Amino acid sequence: MKFTFIRHAKSQVEPEVPILLWGLDARGVQEAKDLSQLAETRNLERVYSSLQTKAIETMLILAKPNHLPMHIHPGLAEISSFTNQFLAPRDFDEASARFFRGDTIRIAGGETAREATERFTLALADIAAQNREAQNLGIVTHGGILAFFTAQYCDTSPLELSNQIGTADLSVFDWQRKKFSAFWRGGL
């Protein structure tokens, strides 16, 4: 079984709205439409998303023209250290860089990288168990958790990956072999 990991498209930052409810901006909508046209997404059997609005909107836009069944899994969420409170862009960049380097364990009382990666991996195992006959499933999720998950299987640090994985980006991971067969492209 292969998981096609898809980072959600560009979101609309709205400081007055809870981060979990941020949707896509106009560019993000176009990125998701562009994603829906790629062979990697057209060949999916079904797609899963986190509960966050930007991931759900990305999933809807890429699934609809490809007639893909859609599912939500709460274990696919972003690291809660990045979603518990809004930080101004500069403060967020500094706090997240410290988090990715391991200099900070938690931000705003959220999950550690290890806790989040374990949760995410268990979610993938659950999805795989529910879809034993499937060959290619889409997983729409978030950049932080994807950076830490990916770093376990390559020689690139989570910090480098967080800068490499773009919005509306994708990679393909062989679940049985625990190996990437197509790596992050840097976004559309």
Side-chain angles (χ1 to χ4, degrees):
M1 171 184 301
K2 292 181 182 174
F3 286 127
T4 298
F5 292 125
I6 302 161
R7 181 179 177 206
H8 64 79
K10 188 172 182 312
S11 59
Q12 177 68 48
V13 176
E14 299 180 73
E16 67 283 353
V17 174
I19 296 168
L20 299 175
L21 300 179
W22 289 356
L24 301 180
D25 67 8
R27 180 177 134 201
V29 170
Q30 187 58 53
E31 287 176 342
K33 287 178 181 178
D34 293 345
L35 264 179
S36 74
Q37 301 304 308
L38 299 177
E40 294 93 340
T41 55
R42 288 194 320 264
N43 294 323
L44 296 173
E45 294 168 59
R46 62 187 55 90
V47 64
Y48 284 78
S49 169
S50 83
L51 286 165
Q52 291 177 241
T53 303
K54 56 192 160 206
I56 293 170
E57 288 179 355
T58 300
M59 175 179 66
L60 286 167
I61 293 168
L62 73 88
K64 185 176 179 181
N66 294 305
H67 311 286
L68 299 172
M70 296 175 283
H71 306 274
I72 301 292
H73 197 294
L76 300 176
E78 178 61 290
I79 301 166
S80 63
S81 281
F82 298 148
T83 60
N84 280 353
Q85 83 178 47
F86 176 79
L87 297 174
R90 186 176 187 179
D91 295 335
F92 177 80
D93 290 344
E94 291 172 8
S96 63
R98 287 192 307 273
F99 187 84
F100 280 110
R101 285 192 309 265
D103 299 339
T104 298
I105 302 298
R106 296 177 193 276
I107 301 171
E111 296 170 293
T112 66
R114 182 176 180 183
E115 291 166 345
T117 304
E118 288 174 357
R119 169 194 35 86
F120 186 77
T121 303
L122 288 172
L124 294 176
D126 183 46
I127 291 168
Q130 293 176 35
N131 294 278
R132 293 188 195 283
E133 302 301 316
Q135 297 298 309
N136 193 5
L137 301 175
I139 304 291
V140 180
T141 187
H142 308 274
I145 192 60
L146 287 169
F148 278 101
F149 179 82
T150 301
Q152 299 175 105
Y153 302 100
C154 69
D155 292 329
T156 307
S157 74
L159 178 59
E160 290 176 78
L161 286 164
S162 73
N163 293 319
Q164 180 181 345
I165 300 169
T167 57
D169 204 352
L170 60 80
S171 68
V172 180
F173 183 74
D174 186 310
W175 180 247
Q176 283 78 21
R177 293 182 178 169
K178 302 294 190 260
K179 183 177 180 179
F180 283 89
S181 59
F183 208 61
W184 302 105
R185 303 167 312 156
L188 290 174

